[in-house]
Amino acid sequence: MVQRIIVAGASLGGLRAAEQLRAAGWTGEILVIGEEEHPPYNRPPLSKDVLAAPGTPEEALAKLAFRPRRSATGIQWRLGTRITASNLAARTITLDSGEELDFDGLVVATGLRPARVAAPGPRAGRHVLRSIDDALALHEALRPGTRVGVIGSGFIGCESAATAASLGCAVTLVEGRTGPMERPLGHALSSGVRDMLAQRGVDCRQAVSVVAYRGTESCTGMELSDGSVIDVDVIVEAVGSRANVEWLQGNGFDLVDGVECDSHLRVLGIAGQPIPGVVAVGDIARYPDDRNGLPARRVEHWATPTDTAKIAAPALVAGLSGQPPAEAPAPLPSFWTDIFGTRINGVGSPALAEETRVLEGDPDRPHAGVAVGYYRGDTLIGVVNAGLPASRNLHYRQLVLDAGALVTI
Ligand SMILES: Cc1cc2nc3c(=O)[nH]c(=O)nc-3n(C[C@H](O)[C@H](O)[C@H](O)COP(=O)(O)OP(=O)(O)OC[C@H]3O[C@@H](n4cnc5c(N)ncnc54)[C@H](O)[C@@H]3O)c2cc1C
């Protein structure tokens, strides 16, 4: 009988997993199941150029759609279909139609959804940004002069604030406990980014949170923790994410923050042993940081689905034929973001640094070119650079690679 691998989630992680399964020599069935109606598409432009100018929904999708690699043949897709439950011991999943499907192998790639602000008040007028439909709906609301409250100053909050300001909106950014992208960038670069936002008219409110929304049917204002009230027409809630793990409940393993995996991306059972035939990829996977010898964590960057699929797919194929996983280099995380046309690139694990050192330029002027190194002890564990040519980014990537032992798992 033909063996089947089910890939749960049809975004970048699901697509890359399917491609890597074929690359690893899997000749059996591959069935990718995804809740969204759309084939896999690229999310980063949703808070940048596509939010600014999406065109029609069809044009936006055409711009964003991934083209599967030619080598990835014979992949079946079931879109617009949610997986509601699973029994990993019996190797079955259940779909929202009630249908049950068997599998030999399973790839968990159901990613994240936006967290919501837990403040009382009307629901209407509050947006999030994860899907193409979210971006199209938010774009419709962003007219010149519209008063926009962006809550949360991580990547998506800062990017949406910058895009809304470039569309002529009056933007207030409610930063929360940390400054703009402070966790990945560190304090010095974060204040440089705040200056960039402020110079383009974004009103950055530091160290405050939203305690309530004002309005009857739709949000017309936000009450902040310092007692101030900001009048708004549109809210963007960008306060982090939750992992889509509900369909895995009942299998007796840890789902507190995504899905815990070993270094080969094999999902771990409650006793810490790999569950046979189950791997995870992308934003949902919590895996050990072997480069820095640190405990498992999730890495929510665009490169992660591809990096993890390259490890998980061969491990799954090997496991299904009774073989141990082959050695593979541990992924080196990387990210980028764009704020008013200034590209900020990060490589390594800046968020885990004990100390930062400026390598070139001035952190107060990120748009003019700057690079900051992130250290644990004397070891360089990451670099963030902004406003520099691509060749400098490659140089810093190499520095980080050279600084850490190339860990093989
Ligand atoms: C607006 C935005 C901007 C970004 N910008 C950048 C950037 O500039 N740089 C960068 O490095 N990264 C960026 N990222 C992050 C990057 O896009 C993600 O890391 C990447 O999309 C993760 O892919 P994934 O496949 O793991 O998860 P997801 O993209 O979350 O995909 C998971 C898929 O699974 C589906 N699903 C969930 N539950 C079920 C279920 N029960 N049954 C079936 N299907 C299900 C979901 O509908 C979804 O389609 C951005 C993300 C967003 C949202």
Side-chain angles (χ1 to χ4, degrees), residues 4 27 45 119 125 146 184 199 225 325:
R4 173 195 283 162
T27 53
T146 301
Q199 277 158 19
S225 50

Side-chain angles (χ1 to χ4, degrees), residues 8-15 33-36 38 41-48 81-84 109-113 129-131 155-156 159 244-245 247 281-284 299-305 334-338:
S11 181
L12 181 57
L15 173 65
I33 301 174
E35 185 171 14
E36 291 182 80
H38 314 294
Y41 59 88
N42 203 18
R43 296 189 197 275
L46 297 178
S47 45
K48 308 175 186 78
T81 303
R82 193 159 71 88
I83 304 170
T84 53
T110 44
L112 310 177
R113 62 177 178 276
L129 198 44
R130 183 89 198 165
S131 68
F155 288 113
I156 292 175
E159 289 173 0
N244 292 317
V245 291
W247 64 280
V281 303
D283 281 2
I284 199 170
V299 181
E300 296 178 29
H301 300 319
W302 189 87
T304 307
S334 63
F335 65 83
W336 82 95
T337 177
D338 288 318

